[in-house]
Amino acid sequence: MLEKIKEILSIKQETISQDTARSLIDIIDAPEPLIQWLSQVGSNTIEIPWTAELLRIYSAKDFQEKQKTYFIENQKNKNWNKDWIVIGDIISNPIILEKSSLKSKIFFSFHGSGNWNLALLAPSLENFCEALNIWCKLFLVKYDRDIYEDDFSLKSSFLSDLQNSLNQILPVSCVEVFLTAVD
């Protein structure tokens, strides 16, 4: 799933075995797509350049610490669900896999509002990975990070290319959430 993204980012790290990934996380009944995902992430967190800062995809090594951080910070927040697994973030805005969904749906939420209002980002980890691949191809390769107008707004050509490409793999509502995460 992540090979093309690693290639674009020139990341040479190897994948880890699924048994190693499983041993590094402490989640009872971890969904198989999560184990496969962490195996492909490899030994180090992947950092994807984003419009502001980075999008981080946690490695199995960093995964457990991030789960503890979100759990501890949200113990008093009744809105936090025990079936949410944080697989990455964009400037501390969590990217969440819902453990109880059969296809491992991926959600996004902005932090700091007092409640977690999750929005469906992708219907599966595979779709999420495809969307990230599109992002990397457009942002890093086609536009070479030159996506801003003089007034720092995003270029309409970039947004159009991104939206049209995402529409090929994601439902319209997910494309809207992805574009919100970009802006």
Side-chain angles (χ1 to χ4, degrees):
M1 281 191 275
L2 294 166
E3 298 87 12
K4 292 176 186 176
I5 294 169
K6 286 180 169 183
E7 185 178 314
I8 292 170
L9 296 172
S10 300
I11 295 174
K12 305 288 187 213
Q13 72 190 29
E14 299 292 322
T15 60
I16 60 175
S17 74
Q18 290 184 21
D19 288 337
T20 300
R22 194 173 281 109
S23 72
L24 288 170
I25 65 171
D26 185 25
I27 296 177
I28 297 169
D29 300 325
E32 196 57 33
L34 174 63
I35 299 300
Q36 292 170 0
W37 173 264
L38 290 171
S39 171
Q40 291 181 15
V41 170
S43 55
N44 296 306
T45 291
I46 295 174
E47 296 183 337
I48 299 174
W50 206 250
T51 52
E53 308 272 336
L54 299 167
L55 182 150
R56 289 180 179 82
I57 299 172
Y58 306 145
S59 68
K61 185 173 69 174
D62 297 333
F63 183 84
Q64 212 45 50
E65 186 61 35
K66 295 297 185 179
Q67 301 318 300
K68 288 178 188 173
T69 300
Y70 277 94
F71 179 76
I72 289 169
E73 287 179 4
N74 291 290
Q75 276 185 323
K76 294 179 184 175
N77 187 333
K78 296 189 181 359
N79 186 251
W80 189 261
N81 187 316
K82 64 179 176 54
D83 286 336
W84 294 347
I85 300 170
V86 183
I87 62 167
D89 70 70
I90 303 170
I91 319 170
S92 298
N93 297 314
I95 299 167
I96 297 171
L97 177 144
E98 185 178 54
K99 180 179 158 184
S100 62
S101 70
L102 293 176
K103 293 195 173 205
S104 300
K105 293 178 181 177
I106 304 299
F107 294 88
F108 178 76
S109 182
F110 289 103
H111 73 285
S113 66
N115 282 322
W116 293 105
N117 298 309
L118 270 57
L120 185 63
L121 185 59
S124 70
L125 267 171
E126 185 176 326
N127 292 124
F128 177 58
C129 187
E130 290 176 44
L132 290 179
N133 188 41
I134 287 168
W135 169 263
C136 288
K137 283 180 182 177
L138 290 173
F139 181 61
L140 298 172
V141 178
K142 182 176 180 179
Y143 285 85
D144 194 25
R145 301 179 194 225
D146 183 20
I147 62 168
Y148 297 101
E149 299 288 359
D150 291 339
D151 65 357
F152 299 105
S153 63
L154 294 173
K155 289 182 177 178
S156 59
S157 59
F158 171 75
L159 286 173
S160 178
D161 283 349
L162 182 60
Q163 184 170 7
N164 291 336
S165 297
L166 292 173
N167 280 332
Q168 301 300 310
I169 60 157
L170 295 174
V172 172
S173 61
C174 293
V175 173
E176 291 171 2
V177 172
F178 196 96
L179 293 174
T180 300
V182 167
D183 203 10

